[in-house]
Amino acid sequence: MDYIKINGGNPLYGSLKVQGSKNAVLPTLAATILNRGTTVLHNCPNLSDVRVTIEILKFLGCKIKRESDTVIIDAKDITNNYIPHDLMNKMRSSIIFMGAIIARTGEAAMSFPGGCELGPRPIDLHLKALKTLGVDIKESHGYIKCRLEQMVDNNVHLDFPSVGATENIMLFASLSEGKTTIYNAAREPEIEDLQCFLNEMGAKINGAGSSTIEIEGVKSFHDCTHIVIPDRIAASTYLCGAVAAGGEIELESVCPEHFSAVTSILSECGAKIETGDNSAYIKAPEIINKIDIIRTLPYPGFPTDAQSIMMSVLALANGTSIIKENIFEQRFKTAGELAKMGADISVDGKVAVIKGVKNLTGSTVYACDLRSGAALAVAALAANGTSKIFNTHFIDRGYESLHSDFKKLGADIERIYQ
Ligand code: EPZ
């Protein structure tokens, strides 16, 4: 089993270019099947989730070429309108293809994505919205069959500003008849990037970034080229690494406004932060201040994806901090692994109480999910002694090369393949 080996104690110095956004590129790749032509995506990160998404595009009939961080998708011929079980199982967020496949072919079939390490991952909001828009949906034995009866103009009110459900509706409604308005839409930057991409292909969408998105369906799309936005959670990971390990780093090719909820907390922790149009500089504090309470919320609130990474920072704070996880049911598992390193964290339901300790100690730990792996790396950079982080496959889903990036910044870190 591969693992990442870290000898803690090196402060981080230097600059780093941040990868393209996983959570922007996945729905954008799905959207390319709406264009019966060729689409070029730049700044496409090389992640296992991206590789699975490309496998699905090929299964649907697309021809794909990858040249460094550019992916060229030829979606002239779509020959399948379903996603096989084995591909659905590889990545639950494949549900994002549903709206696009129905819009392109009139029907779609796929298995329920099922839960993941973060707990149950229901898709009721996706299905309810598509039904409202005229899609007939039959569910049996874990399989979902969709058929577009007659697209109806409609308003979709999301009970929760679900990122995936918002994206699925945008993909479906953009290439259909009629006008669709989404109320209580997710406001994440990835939604804005998807609107930008769809409009570059000829869609007529406005409002992304706000809670109300208006979509006027069009009959067809045309070829385009798009540059994927930077990954705000990857950026947050490196900033948290610098605060935990000490030192000062500069991130390039980022959109600081996309992770201002994270930099605001890190400033409260005592870090010195300066941001430019596409850069972010951070200098670690001598002592990390505790944070009374952090609540994870939909954007622009504090992102759940940065929760466990921030927990690693607060494990070393001077005092007791509280984190309330409002988005996912099981996103505190990292606390148990951090405890192996000497962290003092008590979890009760949605609340984690983090009593800062002077030092963490290197240990053998296991990533529980994608961001948990990143959080353990952040903690290991600061710990005394050597850590080994297993379950690296989780980390590979969202980071091109977490160990190479931290190595570039001076960490004593390597990936052991065995
Ligand atoms: C996206 O997941 C991201 N994934 C997640 O990032 C991120 O944590 C999440 O948004 C929240 O920001 C991608 O973009 C690929 P949601 P998504 O639908 O779309 C409930 C990472 O680490 N819900 O906004 O699945 C759901 O159970 C990953 O990069 C329903 O109840 O998130 C959860 O509690 C992890 N019914 C909450 O809403 C539904 O139909 C947020 O889910 C859909 C969601």
Side-chain angles (χ1 to χ4, degrees), residues 80-228:
N80 281 317
N81 58 19
Y82 71 97
I83 299 180
H85 202 69
D86 62 314
L87 285 178
M88 269 312 275
N89 258 355
K90 282 185 180 176
M91 188 181 70
R92 62 162 312 283
S93 47
S94 311
I95 189 72
I96 197 57
F97 273 95
M98 181 176 273
I101 297 174
I102 300 169
R104 174 71 190 259
T105 70
E107 49 190 34
M110 55 190 72
S111 49
F112 265 91
C116 73
E117 314 74 37
L118 305 180
R121 300 292 292 276
I123 58 167
D124 57 303
L125 299 177
H126 298 242
L127 302 181
K128 185 177 163 190
L130 291 170
K131 282 175 189 166
T132 304
L133 298 174
V135 178
D136 174 62
I137 296 178
K138 290 199 174 26
E139 303 160 38
S140 69
H141 308 302
Y143 216 64
I144 313 164
K145 286 192 175 159
C146 310
R147 174 190 296 278
L148 178 57
E149 300 294 319
Q150 171 59 42
M151 174 78 185
V152 295
D153 276 12
N154 226 309
N155 299 333
V156 176
H157 291 261
L158 288 175
D159 303 341
F160 177 89
S162 156
V163 171
T166 301
E167 292 165 345
N168 238 332
I169 301 162
M170 288 169 74
L171 295 183
F172 170 70
S174 60
L175 187 71
S176 307
E177 305 291 320
K179 195 163 176 329
T180 301
T181 303
I182 310 172
Y183 294 99
N184 196 25
R187 298 166 54 191
E188 275 69 5
E190 293 77 28
I191 304 285
E192 285 190 84
D193 196 38
L194 183 62
Q195 170 179 284
C196 174
F197 171 64
L198 288 167
N199 286 345
E200 285 162 355
M201 279 205 296
K204 290 180 183 159
I205 307 176
N206 66 70
S210 78
S211 297
T212 304
I213 299 177
E214 293 178 332
I215 304 156
E216 197 177 319
V218 296
K219 288 208 177 348
S220 66
F221 283 155
H222 51 69
D223 294 1
C224 80
T225 295
H226 180 70
I227 302 173
V228 176

Side-chain angles (χ1 to χ4, degrees), residues 231-310:
D231 194 310
R232 59 192 170 101
I233 306 301
S236 304
T237 304
Y238 305 122
L239 295 175
C240 286
V243 172
E248 51 184 308
I249 65 169
E250 169 110 12
L251 299 182
E252 297 153 9
S253 310
V254 291
C255 299
E257 67 276 13
H258 289 172
F259 48 89
S260 56
V262 175
T263 47
S264 159
I265 294 287
L266 291 175
S267 298
E268 266 189 75
C269 286
K272 178 171 174 274
I273 295 173
E274 288 163 12
T275 57
D277 291 345
N278 300 104
S279 65
Y281 161 85
I282 193 165
K283 181 175 173 40
E286 285 306 314
I287 304 281
I288 298 171
N289 302 329
K290 54 108 175 165
I291 302 293
D292 290 337
I293 183 161
I294 293 176
R295 297 173 182 84
T296 64
L297 288 168
Y299 192 90
F302 189 90
T304 175
D305 292 348
Q307 179 258 101
S308 44
I309 299 157
M310 189 58 75

Side-chain angles (χ1 to χ4, degrees), residues 311 315 334-335 338-339 343-347 352-355:
M311 182 183 275
T334 310
L338 289 172
D344 181 351
I345 304 170
S346 321
V347 171
V353 179
I354 305 135
K355 287 188 186 129

